[in-house]
Amino acid sequence: LDLFYNNVKSTAVKPVEVGRPGSNCGVLTDVPTRRDLQKGFEGYIRTFLRIWNRELAPDGEFRLQLIRPGGNIPMVAIVFSTQEKKRPLAPPKESETTQWHKLLEELEETLHVPVSKRVYVDGVVRGVSDTDIMIVKRDERRLWTRSMAREDAEATLLQAIHLQERSRGQR
């Protein structure tokens, strides 16, 4: 209702709280389990990973990387990468700007469509590769909720199924 009555002044279109999660890189166990302690992206991340980690259990899990392009670009990306539980991936050493440009290039490859370096998307961009799930959205609270995490998980599961079917068909 706040969005309906207050339009652009609504809290729903305000940026997501910066600094939560505390690290831009982590796994499900790094996110608080209690909902009242979850801030920023943590509710979204926990919901998304609880759904997707079941697909990799018992030996694997997803690691998240939160990427903000910097400057005045009101976008956020979360990349979920597969890893073995016993051998976690090292955190990236590049700057967020470099990570952002690499992500856009990977999305172009994955989606087979051009993705502008100055992308400002009204909706959502989701891409699924063999090892990564990439989600890019505007930095608005309404787009990074638990219910949106369930929607994104369902959409990316469907993309993963299509990817698997395409790879079987090429054999």
Side-chain angles (χ1 to χ4, degrees), residues 43-44 49 51 57 61 64 167 170:
Y44 176 93
L49 288 178
I51 294 167
E61 66 182 345
L64 73 105
S167 65
Q170 292 176 349

Side-chain angles (χ1 to χ4, degrees), residues 2-155:
D2 181 48
L3 181 61
F4 178 75
Y5 287 115
N6 296 321
N7 201 1
V8 295
K9 294 180 182 177
S10 168
T11 58
V13 295
K14 292 200 183 315
V16 179
E17 183 180 342
V18 177
R20 293 297 285 270
S23 171
N24 287 346
C25 185
V27 293
L28 180 62
T29 55
D30 297 327
V31 180
T33 55
R34 288 185 35 199
R35 288 177 73 138
D36 60 326
L37 297 177
Q38 296 170 358
K39 305 272 190 253
F41 295 96
E42 292 173 337
Y44 176 93
I45 291 167
R46 183 150 194 85
T47 302
F48 189 90
L49 288 178
R50 287 190 64 213
I51 294 167
W52 259 104
N53 276 350
R54 289 184 284 214
E55 302 299 318
L56 300 178
D59 299 324
E61 66 182 345
F62 276 98
R63 179 189 82 169
L64 73 105
Q65 176 67 39
L66 185 80
I67 304 169
R68 292 177 185 264
N72 292 327
I73 303 171
M75 302 295 292
V76 175
I78 299 182
V79 179
F80 298 97
S81 302
T82 58
Q83 69 177 22
E84 290 181 42
K85 282 188 178 180
K86 295 174 185 165
R87 294 189 344 197
L89 301 170
K93 295 178 180 163
E94 299 128 342
S95 70
E96 275 193 308
T97 305
T98 304
Q99 291 175 40
W100 178 257
H101 292 297
K102 282 185 176 182
L103 169 66
L104 294 180
E105 289 171 9
E106 189 174 346
L107 275 169
E108 283 182 1
E109 242 179 73
T110 302
L111 299 173
H112 306 292
V113 294
V115 177
S116 170
K117 302 279 188 265
R118 297 182 183 153
V119 66
Y120 181 80
V121 181
D122 200 1
V124 176
V125 176
R126 300 180 191 105
V128 176
S129 71
D130 289 339
T131 58
D132 297 322
I133 299 171
M134 301 154 281
I135 300 174
V136 181
K137 302 182 193 184
R138 283 193 322 267
D139 187 4
E140 295 179 5
R141 292 177 189 178
R142 68 188 175 113
L143 300 175
W144 297 100
T145 62
R146 289 175 188 85
S147 59
M148 288 302 296
R150 285 186 281 282
E151 188 176 311
D152 290 344
E154 183 178 319

Side-chain angles (χ1 to χ4, degrees), residues 52 55 127-130 132-133 153-167:
W52 259 104
E55 302 299 318
V128 176
S129 71
D130 289 339
D132 297 322
I133 299 171
E154 183 178 319
T156 53
L157 279 166
L158 185 60
Q159 283 184 358
I161 290 168
H162 289 299
L163 179 66
Q164 193 174 31
E165 287 173 354
R166 277 195 306 265
S167 65

